[in-house]
Amino acid sequence: MLRYVEAKKIEKVVEELCFEANIFLRSDVEKALKRSCCSEKKNSISREMMEILLENARIARRKNLPICQDTGVATVFVDIGQNVVIKGGLLRDAVTRGVKASYEKNCFRKSVVEDPLIRKNTGTNTPCIMHMDIVKGDRVKISVMPKGFGSENKSRIKMMNPTSTDKDIVDFCVETVKLAGPDACPPFILGIGIGGTTEYSAYLAKKALLRPVGKYNPKKHIQKIEKNIQKRVNGLKIGVMGLGGASTVLGVNIETAPTHIAGLPVAVNISCHALRSATCKI
Amino acid sequence: MGKIKKIHTPLDKKTILSLKHGDKIFLSGKIFALRDQAHLRITQLFKNGKKIPFDIKGKVIYYCGPTPAKNRIIGSCGPTTSGRMDKFTGVLLNKGLAGMIGKGSRSKDVIQAIKSNGAVYFIAPAGAGAYLSEKVTSCRMIAFKDLGPEAVYELEVLNFPLVVAVDRKGKNIYDRLQMNCK
Ligand code: SF4
């Protein structure tokens, strides 16, 4: 049975998701921040900074202010059930209009430039980045992730050898965090994509950030790598704002995909503590 | 954790001398918000011997592109990554810039220029733009309107919470990290 979904409905939902993501810190992220805050030494500067981050989330919520001024490039994941027919307009246009409306109405920062070299601001924060997938069923699932570039800039990808060890993978991830250092607003959440192709691993790394912080990969051998990375990265003692302390990373989320016999792509998407996203199923 | 020092802009030499890396600061007074494209324009103006839209002598620059205000003085206004401004900073310091506020580490050249010009680099709580917006008492766009969020703003702040990251002697709070992260 086909199910009809109005383009207008998609536009509205995207508009609301942009608002929700930018204003309300994800509850899993807030919980992780609280936990980390408690693990900092009392009266330390790191503890105080972590308390400021929690206070920031409260102020954002209360005053409808963006959690961070970098309201990012809106990255929109759309999973369309293959029994869905979109009526009354194009899907891409509907998503674009939703982003544009939300960024305008809510006074979010417009950070998108039209040409990467000429760099004139489009003034609408569009176009957005869209990842679409056709899935089973008759629903449309939309996730909006506004990603700031302080942390996006520090993300990296490496085409590793197929005979690389777990340790090689962990080393690369730890090195990526070292290079990010205090610049990318630690404590971080790491989204890691392993396998696929160059671009697919980068996509997986971004998508991994949608998974709640603290929820490990169900595959035991992957979970082991996640925990290992977390432990080693926290051992770097970069800490909030690079001021030291217990929390350099709040969570490590790895997603995997089948790959080629000759390769092992590993992509690390660094997210700052202001990891923002919101999801809705139509 | 040490005491909080309260200081005001414009920063005089004596105040800058009294600041040590790691100090916690409450800064009040005027600061100027500008980021990548404004830095590019200003350094080009200098190069061409032209006037820039505000006098930077003794001033403090804040690397920030705020969200627009909605029924309030300013939107979220946390710091952006300072490292991207490194290639412009030496020129500004040589022209008399007294201080910078941002997030993250600075290049060796910038630290050297801070030392030779007797300036200071602060970091502000990063990713806390909503919190920091409460410390801003006025905001006015003063140049490069066409740059949108990258225009130059004159802000007045009250008890803006900062940490001295590089002091006038070139001492850097991130030296410790270089050890850990080798
Ligand atoms: S890295 Fe994240 S928290 Fe930091 S300024 Fe950018 S978006 Fe905000």
Side-chain angles (χ1 to χ4, degrees):
Chain A
M1 264 266 284
L2 294 181
R3 178 168 168 254
Y4 291 89
V5 174
E6 294 280 347
K8 196 79 202 151
K9 171 79 186 167
I10 292 175
E11 180 183 331
K12 269 276 149 245
V13 166
V14 169
E15 186 186 327
E16 278 159 22
L17 290 176
C18 289
F19 174 79
E20 189 186 326
N22 274 303
I23 306 282
F24 304 115
L25 187 61
R26 266 167 50 172
S27 60
D28 58 311
V29 178
E30 194 164 349
K31 262 190 218 130
L33 270 177
K34 274 187 191 151
R35 263 198 312 272
S36 285
C37 182
C38 292
S39 63
E40 298 295 351
K41 269 201 212 93
K42 284 223 169 73
N43 290 327
S44 67
I45 192 157
S46 303
R47 173 91 174 222
E48 195 176 329
M49 287 299 162
M50 294 293 274
E51 277 162 5
I52 287 182
L53 297 184
L54 289 165
E55 175 66 9
N56 183 65
R58 285 191 287 270
I59 293 173
R61 206 158 37 225
R62 205 168 53 230
K63 306 213 162 169
N64 279 357
L65 272 171
I67 297 160
C68 180
Q69 75 289 337
D70 188 351
T71 45
V73 168
T75 306
V76 185
F77 297 86
V78 190
D79 290 346
I80 310 161
Q82 67 172 7
N83 294 341
V84 171
V85 177
I86 291 162
K87 239 177 69 180
L90 296 177
L91 172 65
R92 189 173 286 275
D93 291 351
V95 171
T96 305
R97 274 201 302 271
V99 171
K100 193 171 156 182
S102 188
Y103 275 69
E104 190 49 53
K105 263 186 223 164
N106 300 306
C107 285
F108 296 156
R109 202 178 77 191
K110 286 79 176 175
S111 311
V112 174
V113 294
E114 182 158 6
D115 180 292
L117 302 181
I118 298 169
R119 304 202 74 84
K120 187 170 167 18
N121 199 304
T122 62
T124 60
N125 215 53
T126 61
C128 56
I129 300 294
M130 270 180 84
H131 298 296
M132 285 188 263
D133 202 0
I134 311 277
V135 299
K136 206 173 122 190
D138 62 359
R139 310 283 300 268
V140 181
K141 184 174 155 198
I142 305 177
S143 299
V144 174
M145 183 189 287
K147 184 78 188 331
F149 258 52
S151 54
E152 191 75 355
N153 278 340
K154 305 290 178 182
S155 301
R156 290 205 309 160
I157 182 163
K158 185 172 181 180
M159 303 304 282
M160 300 184 67
N161 275 327
T163 52
S164 300
T165 61
D166 287 5
K167 182 174 177 296
D168 295 331
I169 295 174
V170 174
D171 285 347
F172 171 65
C173 297
V174 173
E175 181 189 63
T176 303
V177 173
K178 281 183 192 173
L179 289 170
D183 291 14
C185 297
F188 304 128
I189 297 99
L190 304 181
I192 300 171
I194 305 180
T197 49
T198 43
E199 87 287 5
Y200 197 72
S201 64
Y203 158 76
L204 277 182
K206 179 64 68 67
K207 200 172 175 185
L209 293 171
L210 289 174
R211 201 167 85 210
V213 175
K215 193 171 164 208
Y216 291 103
N217 189 298
K219 290 184 198 140
K220 283 279 171 285
H221 69 293
I222 300 298
Q223 207 176 97
K224 211 171 116 199
I225 300 177
E226 290 176 333
K227 289 183 177 163
N228 211 338
I229 293 171
Q230 183 148 3
K231 194 165 150 220
R232 277 196 44 203
V233 168
N234 279 332
L236 296 175
K237 304 263 178 242
I238 295 172
V240 57
M241 281 173 74
L243 294 168
S247 350
T248 300
V249 78
L250 300 175
V252 179
N253 294 1
I254 299 181
E255 293 292 334
T256 60
T259 190
H260 189 278
I261 48 170
L264 177 56
V266 178
V268 182
N269 195 295
I270 295 210
S271 171
C272 50
H273 56 77
L275 170 56
R276 291 152 289 174
S277 71
T279 299
C280 176
K281 236 180 188 178
I282 307 174
Chain B
M1 192 176 58
K3 236 176 66 219
I4 299 175
K5 287 188 188 167
K6 290 196 174 194
I7 58 172
H8 281 263
T9 61
L11 294 181
D12 55 36
K13 289 280 164 214
K14 205 173 132 218
T15 307
I16 294 177
L17 260 173
S18 74
L19 300 175
K20 279 221 324 265
H21 70 296
D23 282 354
K24 283 186 14 181
I25 300 295
F26 275 169
L27 179 80
S28 299
K30 276 184 187 152
I31 58 176
F32 294 84
L34 54 150
R35 46 178 293 152
D36 308 65
Q37 297 300 327
H39 272 79
L40 180 61
R41 281 201 192 170
I42 283 176
T43 47
Q44 272 167 355
L45 288 171
F46 275 140
K47 208 163 140 198
N48 298 330
K50 298 229 174 78
K51 263 189 81 140
I52 68 157
F54 67 102
D55 182 18
I56 63 165
K57 271 221 178 78
K59 302 282 165 53
V60 173
I61 282 181
Y62 181 26
Y63 303 134
C64 173
T67 60
K70 189 182 179 187
N71 305 323
R72 52 186 288 125
I73 293 161
I74 194 169
S76 281
C77 55
T80 194
T81 311
S82 309
R84 291 198 315 273
M85 266 47 82
D86 280 353
K87 61 177 179 175
F88 306 111
T89 303
V91 176
L92 300 190
L93 287 170
N94 292 339
K95 295 276 183 188
L97 180 68
M100 299 143 293
I101 305 168
K103 67 166 164 110
S105 49
R106 308 305 306 254
S107 69
K108 277 206 184 82
D109 287 352
V110 169
I111 294 172
Q112 188 51 47
I114 288 174
K115 218 166 133 180
S116 53
N117 289 287
V120 58
Y121 167 56
F122 305 98
I123 51 172
Y131 177 87
L132 289 173
S133 79
E134 307 267 278
K135 315 282 176 195
V136 177
T137 56
S138 83
C139 169
R140 189 165 66 93
M141 187 192 291
I142 57 163
F144 308 149
K145 184 167 183 242
D146 62 299
L147 291 178
E150 297 199 79
V152 180
Y153 296 88
E154 182 193 85
L155 310 182
E156 270 203 63
V157 295
L158 185 65
N159 292 334
F160 211 62
L162 305 172
V163 175
V164 177
V166 181
D167 62 28
R168 61 103 44 239
K169 288 186 180 148
K171 288 259 166 54
N172 181 3
I173 52 163
Y174 293 133
D175 280 347
R176 171 191 60 83
L177 280 187
Q178 251 127 39
M179 305 272 293
N180 289 359
C181 290
K182 235 187 237 152

